[in-house]
Amino acid sequence: MLHIELKQIRVTFPQPEGGELLAVDRFDLQVQRGEFVTIVGPSGCGKSTLLSVVDGLVRSSSGQVHVEGMLVTGPGPDRALVFQEFALLPWRTVEGNIGLGLELQHKLSSRRIKELVLHYINMVGLQGFERHYPYQLSGGMRQRVGIARALAVNPEILLMDEPFAALDAQTREIMSVELLRIWEQDKKTVLFITHSIDESVYLADRVVVMSSRPGRVKEIIQVGLPRPRGLAIKDAPEFVRLRRHIWDLLEEEVRRQVDGKEDRA
Amino acid sequence: MSTLRYRRYDTVYLGAIGIIGALLVWELAARLRLADPVLISSPMLVAGALRGWAVSGALWRDLGTTLYELVIAIGASALVGIPLGVIMGWNRPAEYALDPFIWLLYSTPLVSFWPLFIIWLGIGANAIIALAFLFSIVQIVINTMVGVKGIDPVLVRCARSFNARAVDLFFKVTLPGALPMIVAGLRLALGRALIGVIVGELFSSNAGLGFHISFYGTRLQFADVFAGLFVIVIVGVGMSQAIRLLESRLVRWKS
Amino acid sequence: MKRWQRAWIGGLAVFAFLILWEAATPLGWVRVAGISRPTLVGGAFVQLAASGEIYDGLYISLKGFFLGFVLAVVIGIPVGVVIGRYRFLSMLLDPLLMAIYNMPKVAMMPLLVVWFGVGFGATVAVVLLGAVFPILVNTAVGIREVDPVWVRAVRSFGGSEWDVFKKVLLPGSVPPMMTGIRLGVGRGLLGVVVSEMYASTEGIGHLIGLYGMSFRITELIAMVGVVSLLGFVFADLIRRLEVWVSKGRAEVQW
Ligand SMILES: Nc1ncnc2c1ncn2[C@@H]1O[C@H](COP(=O)(O)OP(=O)(O)OP(=O)(O)O)[C@@H](O)[C@H]1O
Ligand SMILES: [Mg+2]
């Protein structure tokens, strides 16, 4: 069943010196309900912008986003964003941060919020850290809070913008395993941006490879690997083949980007 | 040498030695007539003056007057200055529009407004409060604005992503985020308000610490003048320490 | 583009303020004629300038300010450096400095006029007292917060204490030093005006007091304008100096 549909998305930003920057152009994508889609692409190709458009934080200059057939005009409770920079309020404890989204929605009593927060603290394995402030947490723990905060509002769509980028390689692997475990429970629709090709293949049903700016769909790759997946799958021949393929696609794009810069210089 | 390690209590007793040493030098200078004792008074005489002042009850009246003017001025500054600073931090055109006035007030020696206040408000507490208000509000506006502008934009985006209402955005993101800067501004503003109050009392009043100093100054009773300065120091240091305490309680979330 | 926006919105706001001020009295928004009008104030300003009445005052005030301020810099920076460098000294003196730093130095006016004489002497003294502590304390803090790694680096290459001062501590503590100087300028100007208003027969502060006492509001506001302008110009100069200094640093460092 079709869940998210991006039609001919085009985003431009006004430049400080005047003129406009074309960040995303003619971007088409259809995401099925419960599907896990990862997006990779060269730096600055408009991935974050695209995700902001789906969340409703940024307006596209032309083209539309439909969620369940409804036109997206702003942020909504059916979508939740997980930020690369965690974006935790430093003056709130783990509890306070996880409850933030629920509080801002003004739908539940504070008692109900407390119960839900507790549930999600358990889900992301932060028992015992309820009263800790962000500065007292490790990077991995902070991002668990960010993920729990998004999950707590029970969105149908999870938008994740390089959520593991600030973590070390090991924590990153553990977190992606955790994420899949959580996702297996209720199969939300996920749009997940990453720079790690490994991660993109490991997590995804489909990988979208974007071209360098202006960002377009370069290729969409179906990942047929069986689920649930363990880390061992990264040694499977199919995994290695997909990784190689995506690597080649990206290398081409990055090269084009660099050559383009040299042309201008 | 700086390579030596000092322990925590060293700061306390070395600091005490510093103060006691300074008082001793002062006392000796007066006793040995290294300087005219009439002009420099001496710690003993000052202590005596202080006791007389307290015993007569005038100290409490003067202290009360000064603190009253100070509290009203700083309260009014916060009440007006914080919202103003928030507006300037949020809204570019508002910032640009108010900027010239704020910077003018920040760089002007504000005492020059004193005769105007006397004419508009008459001699008395009102003019003093107005002067102290002017001294302190600028600092509060500037700090609040800087605090609001300094909030990590990703936090605002996060709140907007959760469909936050404007009221929530203000009370759950803007205000707490700017709070450390606001409180720091309050501390600086208190120092400035104290200048305003003392100057006002010095120029014309019939009560307050500034009045005490000016009254005995013209009579060349310098022990009483020093007693006044001593109490002012206590007020200044006490208030700034109190705000520091508040600061450390409010921003426990900072590493 | 942003720079330009800032200028015209700011200018527009000032213009609107002047219009409101001009119209307030004729429209009866204020009952007494206690706020004058910008056109009158402008006229008074021109007259004061033409008659030369303010120049003598301005000269006296600026002389007192500069003398006191230069003394403050000459005393404040070396003493600040020494206190910042030697932990023992700073621990000994911190509470004392803290107490004096927190006291409004203008409160000492009644003492200063007797110690140094009404007028010029007291003015220089209060400027010095007002300016020296911000400069001294900020310099000391700057010196103390210079990264000790740099000090060790210079030492490990066989640098002397003098090298450490010249090559690391002094350049490293320039930004806080400039902060101290900026604060010092403000306190110094305040001191000039307070001293001259409190007891003096010369200077702009005296003129302000004089016009105030004779209820000549238009001239009074014109004088307040002169003082404000002075403060604004000094603050701007300091800001430029700060930018210039930090630019020079950037070029040296990288
Ligand atoms: N608010 C904005 N205003 C102006 N330009 C913007 C804005 N946001 C993004 N851009 C520009 O749009 C382009 C795409 O940015 P975006 O952040 O979407 O890239 P990205 O693919 O997420 O890059 P990265 O992988 O480095 O995170 C960049 O050139 C960026 O400079
Ligand atoms: Mg990005």
Side-chain angles (χ1 to χ4, degrees), chain B residues 1-2 4 6-7 10-19 22 38-40 92-101 103-104 106-116 118-120 135 149 188 191-192 194-195 198-199 202-203 213-214 216-218 220 222 225-226 229-230 232-233 236-237 240-241 244, chain C residues 2-3 5-7 9-11 13-15 17 34-35 85-88 91-96 98-100 102-111 114-115 155 161 182-183 186-187 189-190 193-195 197-199 208-209 211-213 215-217 220-221 223-224 227-233 235 239:
Chain B
M1 266 303 305
S2 53
L4 281 177
Y6 291 97
R7 274 159 299 184
D10 286 349
T11 26
V12 177
Y13 80 77
L14 273 177
I17 289 176
I19 288 184
V38 175
L39 293 186
I40 66 163
R92 269 269 160 63
E95 184 202 336
Y96 292 166
L98 292 175
D99 210 40
F101 301 97
W103 281 108
L104 194 74
Y106 194 62
S107 48
T108 301
L110 292 169
V111 256
S112 52
F113 284 86
W114 174 250
L116 282 173
I118 290 286
I119 293 172
W120 292 337
F135 262 93
K149 287 175 88 168
L188 294 174
R192 290 171 62 93
L194 184 63
I195 295 180
I198 296 296
V199 168
L202 209 60
F203 283 148
I213 287 175
S214 147
Y216 288 103
T218 49
L220 301 187
F222 285 174
V225 173
F226 279 112
L229 292 176
F230 175 77
I232 290 176
V233 167
V237 173
S240 95
Q241 288 307 104
R244 266 185 208 286
Chain C
K2 233 161 86 179
R3 220 188 147 77
Q5 234 177 25
R6 177 183 285 269
I9 295 181
V14 172
F15 188 67
F17 172 76
I35 61 167
R85 182 73 178 118
Y86 299 103
R87 190 94 184 80
F88 177 78
M91 295 203 317
L92 199 65
L93 295 179
D94 263 356
L96 205 61
M98 167 95 163
I100 302 175
N102 271 299
M103 182 184 75
K105 256 60 68 181
V106 281
M108 294 177 70
M109 264 341 286
L111 293 174
V114 178
W115 288 351
R155 286 212 175 276
E161 180 76 354
R182 180 155 41 81
L183 289 172
R187 293 291 148 93
L189 275 178
L190 180 74
V193 180
V194 170
S195 166
M197 278 171 73
Y198 181 72
I208 287 178
Y211 290 131
M213 247 152 3
F215 286 83
R216 288 163 65 182
I217 290 180
L220 175 58
I221 294 177
M223 286 311 298
V224 172
V227 174
S228 300
L229 204 65
L230 210 60
F232 199 69
V233 167
R239 202 152 33 172

Side-chain angles (χ1 to χ4, degrees), chain A residues 25 107-108 121 163 252 257:
Chain A
D25 194 25
K107 275 196 234 136
L108 303 174
I121 283 179
E252 208 177 289
Q257 197 178 17

Side-chain angles (χ1 to χ4, degrees), chain B residues 53-98:
Chain B
W53 192 13
V55 167
S56 76
L59 169 60
W60 314 115
R61 191 198 55 161
D62 288 330
L63 188 60
T65 305
T66 297
L67 286 180
Y68 164 78
E69 288 159 352
L70 209 54
V71 167
I72 301 279
I74 201 83
S77 294
L79 227 58
V80 181
I82 293 175
L84 215 56
V86 169
I87 291 170
M88 286 177 72
W90 261 0
N91 185 307
R92 269 269 160 63
E95 184 202 336
Y96 292 166
L98 292 175

Side-chain angles (χ1 to χ4, degrees), chain A residues 4 27 38 55 69 72 80 108 143 162 180 225 233 238 255:
Chain A
I4 311 170
F27 192 98
T38 57
D55 193 47
V72 169
L108 303 174
Q143 196 52 293
E162 300 190 43
L180 275 193
L225 298 165
I233 209 163
E238 173 68 359
R255 247 179 226 294

Side-chain angles (χ1 to χ4, degrees), chain A residues 52 55 75 90-91 103 106 135, chain B residues 157 161 163 168 172 176 253 255:
Chain A
S52 298
D55 193 47
W91 52 87
E103 258 178 62
H106 291 280
Y135 81 92
Chain B
R157 289 211 320 140
S161 159
N163 256 330
D168 280 338
K172 299 197 166 159
W253 48 269
S255 41

